[in-house]
Amino acid sequence: MSLTSNGLFSPMNRFGIHRDVLKAYSPDYANADKVECYVPTRAEVFTWPAGKLFPVLRKWFYHAPPELAPTEVQKAEVIKLLRSRQDADELDLDITALSVPS
């Protein structure tokens, strides 16, 4: 079995939160405009503009319902991915703010 066969590193993976959990939360889980708490995909974290992405991440990190609340490992994965973006230097303050527990 390859490392990517389970989709863990797929750009559409939502940091290991299973689709069934997301569907139980909301059938609209894949539409950021239709859910109260959106869990972004790896691709979205890597490509979305900061003005769209950071409000979503703050809500997920600090105000998610228990079934969607990210673990410290998931938060670290998000931060690592953010730091690998081409615009990471410009986003440093936002990334650092997410790195600090609230």
Side-chain angles (χ1 to χ4, degrees), residues 22-52:
L22 292 162
K23 280 184 180 179
Y25 167 69
S26 173
D28 295 318
Y29 75 90
N31 186 332
D33 297 325
K34 291 186 176 183
V35 292
E36 182 67 24
C37 181
Y38 183 72
V39 178
T41 66
R42 291 177 187 275
E44 291 164 342
V45 169
F46 194 70
T47 61
W48 274 7
K52 181 176 182 179

Side-chain angles (χ1 to χ4, degrees), residues 14 31 71 82:
R14 295 176 193 273
N31 186 332
T71 65
L82 288 170

